mmCIF file of all heavy atoms in Angstrom:
data_model
loop_
_atom_site.group_PDB
_atom_site.id
_atom_site.type_symbol
_atom_site.label_atom_id
_atom_site.label_comp_id
_atom_site.label_asym_id
_atom_site.label_seq_id
_atom_site.Cartn_x
_atom_site.Cartn_y
_atom_site.Cartn_z
ATOM 1 N N ARG O 112 6.815 0.778 -2.729
ATOM 2 C CA ARG O 112 5.894 -0.352 -2.799
ATOM 3 C C ARG O 112 4.508 0.075 -3.290
ATOM 4 O O ARG O 112 3.481 -0.250 -2.710
ATOM 5 C CB ARG O 112 5.803 -1.056 -1.439
ATOM 6 C CG ARG O 112 7.136 -1.589 -0.958
ATOM 7 C CD ARG O 112 7.036 -2.290 0.366
ATOM 8 N NE ARG O 112 8.354 -2.801 0.781
ATOM 9 C CZ ARG O 112 8.578 -3.474 1.888
ATOM 10 N NH1 ARG O 112 7.573 -3.746 2.712
ATOM 11 N NH2 ARG O 112 9.791 -3.891 2.189
ATOM 12 N N THR O 113 4.516 0.830 -4.372
ATOM 13 C CA THR O 113 3.267 1.261 -4.991
ATOM 14 C C THR O 113 3.357 1.055 -6.502
ATOM 15 O O THR O 113 4.446 0.884 -7.060
ATOM 16 C CB THR O 113 2.977 2.749 -4.723
ATOM 17 O OG1 THR O 113 4.014 3.547 -5.327
ATOM 18 C CG2 THR O 113 2.891 3.046 -3.238
ATOM 19 N N PHE O 114 2.202 1.059 -7.167
ATOM 20 C CA PHE O 114 2.138 1.095 -8.619
ATOM 21 C C PHE O 114 0.883 1.863 -9.016
ATOM 22 O O PHE O 114 -0.017 2.105 -8.195
ATOM 23 C CB PHE O 114 2.153 -0.319 -9.221
ATOM 24 C CG PHE O 114 0.906 -1.126 -8.960
ATOM 25 C CD1 PHE O 114 -0.129 -1.178 -9.884
ATOM 26 C CD2 PHE O 114 0.768 -1.844 -7.778
ATOM 27 C CE1 PHE O 114 -1.270 -1.924 -9.646
ATOM 28 C CE2 PHE O 114 -0.374 -2.600 -7.529
ATOM 29 C CZ PHE O 114 -1.394 -2.633 -8.469
ATOM 30 N N ASP O 115 0.838 2.282 -10.274
ATOM 31 C CA ASP O 115 -0.291 3.061 -10.779
ATOM 32 C C ASP O 115 -1.376 2.098 -11.254
ATOM 33 O O ASP O 115 -1.209 1.407 -12.258
ATOM 34 C CB ASP O 115 0.183 3.957 -11.933
ATOM 35 C CG ASP O 115 -0.954 4.767 -12.519
ATOM 36 O OD1 ASP O 115 -1.889 5.083 -11.772
ATOM 37 O OD2 ASP O 115 -0.911 5.066 -13.724
ATOM 38 N N PHE O 116 -2.487 2.048 -10.529
ATOM 39 C CA PHE O 116 -3.584 1.164 -10.872
ATOM 40 C C PHE O 116 -4.739 1.983 -11.428
ATOM 41 O O PHE O 116 -5.491 2.598 -10.703
ATOM 42 C CB PHE O 116 -4.038 0.368 -9.644
ATOM 43 C CG PHE O 116 -5.161 -0.603 -9.911
ATOM 44 C CD1 PHE O 116 -5.036 -1.571 -10.893
ATOM 45 C CD2 PHE O 116 -6.336 -0.533 -9.187
ATOM 46 C CE1 PHE O 116 -6.061 -2.464 -11.141
ATOM 47 C CE2 PHE O 116 -7.367 -1.425 -9.422
ATOM 48 C CZ PHE O 116 -7.236 -2.389 -10.400
ATOM 49 N N ARG O 117 -4.812 2.029 -12.765
ATOM 50 C CA ARG O 117 -5.869 2.772 -13.459
ATOM 51 C C ARG O 117 -5.965 4.213 -12.976
ATOM 52 O O ARG O 117 -7.041 4.729 -12.693
ATOM 53 C CB ARG O 117 -7.206 2.046 -13.299
ATOM 54 C CG ARG O 117 -7.213 0.686 -13.971
ATOM 55 C CD ARG O 117 -8.457 -0.114 -13.684
ATOM 56 N NE ARG O 117 -8.431 -1.385 -14.424
ATOM 57 C CZ ARG O 117 -9.168 -2.447 -14.108
ATOM 58 N NH1 ARG O 117 -10.006 -2.411 -13.087
ATOM 59 N NH2 ARG O 117 -9.083 -3.548 -14.834
ATOM 60 N N GLY O 118 -4.788 4.837 -12.878
ATOM 61 C CA GLY O 118 -4.730 6.252 -12.533
ATOM 62 C C GLY O 118 -4.639 6.547 -11.056
ATOM 63 O O GLY O 118 -4.502 7.719 -10.676
ATOM 64 N N CYS O 119 -4.685 5.540 -10.212
ATOM 65 C CA CYS O 119 -4.618 5.750 -8.761
ATOM 66 C C CYS O 119 -3.475 4.923 -8.172
ATOM 67 O O CYS O 119 -3.221 3.796 -8.623
ATOM 68 C CB CYS O 119 -5.930 5.345 -8.094
ATOM 69 S SG CYS O 119 -7.358 6.302 -8.628
ATOM 70 N N PRO O 120 -2.793 5.461 -7.168
ATOM 71 C CA PRO O 120 -1.716 4.681 -6.544
ATOM 72 C C PRO O 120 -2.279 3.515 -5.735
ATOM 73 O O PRO O 120 -3.280 3.662 -5.033
ATOM 74 C CB PRO O 120 -1.021 5.707 -5.640
ATOM 75 C CG PRO O 120 -2.064 6.741 -5.356
ATOM 76 C CD PRO O 120 -2.923 6.809 -6.580
ATOM 77 N N GLU O 121 -1.652 2.368 -5.875
ATOM 78 C CA GLU O 121 -2.054 1.158 -5.153
ATOM 79 C C GLU O 121 -0.829 0.587 -4.467
ATOM 80 O O GLU O 121 0.270 0.594 -5.024
ATOM 81 C CB GLU O 121 -2.622 0.132 -6.140
ATOM 82 C CG GLU O 121 -3.079 -1.180 -5.528
ATOM 83 C CD GLU O 121 -4.335 -1.044 -4.700
ATOM 84 O OE1 GLU O 121 -4.195 -0.682 -3.511
ATOM 85 O OE2 GLU O 121 -5.436 -1.296 -5.236
ATOM 86 N N THR O 122 -0.993 0.110 -3.244
ATOM 87 C CA THR O 122 0.142 -0.462 -2.514
ATOM 88 C C THR O 122 0.164 -1.976 -2.650
ATOM 89 O O THR O 122 -0.870 -2.615 -2.880
ATOM 90 C CB THR O 122 0.073 -0.095 -1.018
ATOM 91 O OG1 THR O 122 -1.152 -0.586 -0.467
ATOM 92 C CG2 THR O 122 0.144 1.412 -0.832
ATOM 93 N N TYR O 123 1.339 -2.540 -2.526
ATOM 94 C CA TYR O 123 1.511 -3.986 -2.601
ATOM 95 C C TYR O 123 2.658 -4.399 -1.694
ATOM 96 O O TYR O 123 3.440 -3.554 -1.237
ATOM 97 C CB TYR O 123 1.813 -4.425 -4.044
ATOM 98 C CG TYR O 123 3.204 -4.041 -4.526
ATOM 99 C CD1 TYR O 123 4.260 -4.940 -4.464
ATOM 100 C CD2 TYR O 123 3.465 -2.764 -5.029
ATOM 101 C CE1 TYR O 123 5.531 -4.595 -4.884
ATOM 102 C CE2 TYR O 123 4.728 -2.405 -5.459
ATOM 103 C CZ TYR O 123 5.761 -3.320 -5.386
ATOM 104 O OH TYR O 123 7.023 -2.971 -5.796
ATOM 105 N N ARG O 124 2.755 -5.685 -1.421
ATOM 106 C CA ARG O 124 3.896 -6.242 -0.694
ATOM 107 C C ARG O 124 4.776 -6.998 -1.690
ATOM 108 O O ARG O 124 4.281 -7.839 -2.435
ATOM 109 C CB ARG O 124 3.438 -7.204 0.412
ATOM 110 C CG ARG O 124 2.709 -6.521 1.556
ATOM 111 C CD ARG O 124 2.514 -7.493 2.729
ATOM 112 N NE ARG O 124 1.673 -8.627 2.392
ATOM 113 C CZ ARG O 124 2.090 -9.884 2.288
ATOM 114 N NH1 ARG O 124 3.362 -10.182 2.458
ATOM 115 N NH2 ARG O 124 1.247 -10.856 1.994
ATOM 116 N N PRO O 125 6.069 -6.695 -1.713
ATOM 117 C CA PRO O 125 6.949 -7.344 -2.693
ATOM 118 C C PRO O 125 7.597 -8.607 -2.151
ATOM 119 O O PRO O 125 7.546 -8.899 -0.961
ATOM 120 C CB PRO O 125 8.018 -6.272 -2.920
ATOM 121 C CG PRO O 125 8.144 -5.620 -1.569
ATOM 122 C CD PRO O 125 6.760 -5.653 -0.952
ATOM 123 N N GLU O 126 8.198 -9.358 -3.049
ATOM 124 C CA GLU O 126 9.069 -10.470 -2.686
ATOM 125 C C GLU O 126 10.269 -10.403 -3.618
ATOM 126 O O GLU O 126 10.103 -10.286 -4.833
ATOM 127 C CB GLU O 126 8.351 -11.808 -2.833
ATOM 128 C CG GLU O 126 9.200 -12.996 -2.396
ATOM 129 C CD GLU O 126 8.430 -14.305 -2.426
ATOM 130 O OE1 GLU O 126 7.192 -14.283 -2.406
ATOM 131 O OE2 GLU O 126 9.093 -15.356 -2.486
ATOM 132 N N LEU O 127 11.447 -10.466 -3.050
ATOM 133 C CA LEU O 127 12.662 -10.296 -3.834
ATOM 134 C C LEU O 127 12.924 -11.518 -4.705
ATOM 135 O O LEU O 127 13.100 -12.624 -4.213
ATOM 136 C CB LEU O 127 13.860 -10.052 -2.910
ATOM 137 C CG LEU O 127 15.210 -9.811 -3.591
ATOM 138 C CD1 LEU O 127 15.150 -8.553 -4.462
ATOM 139 C CD2 LEU O 127 16.314 -9.691 -2.563
ATOM 140 N N LYS O 128 12.940 -11.297 -6.008
ATOM 141 C CA LYS O 128 13.282 -12.335 -6.972
ATOM 142 C C LYS O 128 14.092 -11.701 -8.093
ATOM 143 O O LYS O 128 14.035 -10.489 -8.298
ATOM 144 C CB LYS O 128 12.022 -12.999 -7.537
ATOM 145 C CG LYS O 128 11.199 -13.753 -6.508
ATOM 146 C CD LYS O 128 9.973 -14.368 -7.134
ATOM 147 C CE LYS O 128 9.115 -15.071 -6.086
ATOM 148 N NZ LYS O 128 7.878 -15.636 -6.658
ATOM 149 N N GLU O 129 14.816 -12.527 -8.837
ATOM 150 C CA GLU O 129 15.700 -12.003 -9.875
ATOM 151 C C GLU O 129 15.056 -11.979 -11.254
ATOM 152 O O GLU O 129 15.376 -11.131 -12.066
ATOM 153 C CB GLU O 129 16.990 -12.833 -9.929
ATOM 154 C CG GLU O 129 17.823 -12.739 -8.666
ATOM 155 C CD GLU O 129 19.118 -13.518 -8.787
ATOM 156 O OE1 GLU O 129 19.669 -13.555 -9.897
ATOM 157 O OE2 GLU O 129 19.571 -14.095 -7.788
ATOM 158 N N CYS O 130 14.179 -12.931 -11.546
ATOM 159 C CA CYS O 130 13.643 -13.070 -12.906
ATOM 160 C C CYS O 130 12.139 -12.862 -12.971
ATOM 161 O O CYS O 130 11.547 -13.027 -14.042
ATOM 162 C CB CYS O 130 13.976 -14.457 -13.457
ATOM 163 S SG CYS O 130 15.740 -14.798 -13.549
ATOM 164 N N ILE O 131 11.514 -12.519 -11.852
ATOM 165 C CA ILE O 131 10.065 -12.404 -11.773
ATOM 166 C C ILE O 131 9.711 -11.190 -10.924
ATOM 167 O O ILE O 131 10.425 -10.868 -9.972
ATOM 168 C CB ILE O 131 9.445 -13.668 -11.129
ATOM 169 C CG1 ILE O 131 9.741 -14.914 -11.960
ATOM 170 C CG2 ILE O 131 7.945 -13.524 -10.934
ATOM 171 C CD1 ILE O 131 9.260 -16.201 -11.325
ATOM 172 N N ILE O 132 8.619 -10.518 -11.257
ATOM 173 C CA ILE O 132 8.045 -9.507 -10.372
ATOM 174 C C ILE O 132 6.915 -10.179 -9.600
ATOM 175 O O ILE O 132 5.997 -10.746 -10.193
ATOM 176 C CB ILE O 132 7.493 -8.309 -11.164
ATOM 177 C CG1 ILE O 132 8.632 -7.579 -11.892
ATOM 178 C CG2 ILE O 132 6.754 -7.341 -10.236
ATOM 179 C CD1 ILE O 132 8.144 -6.480 -12.822
#
Side-chain angles (χ1 to χ4, degrees):
R112 300 181 179 181
T113 63
F114 69 95
D115 179 30
F116 181 56
R117 295 173 177 160
C119 298
E121 180 71 276
T122 59
Y123 72 96
R124 292 190 297 111
E126 183 175 340
L127 182 62
K128 296 180 183 178
E129 296 183 34
C130 300
I131 299 175
I132 296 173

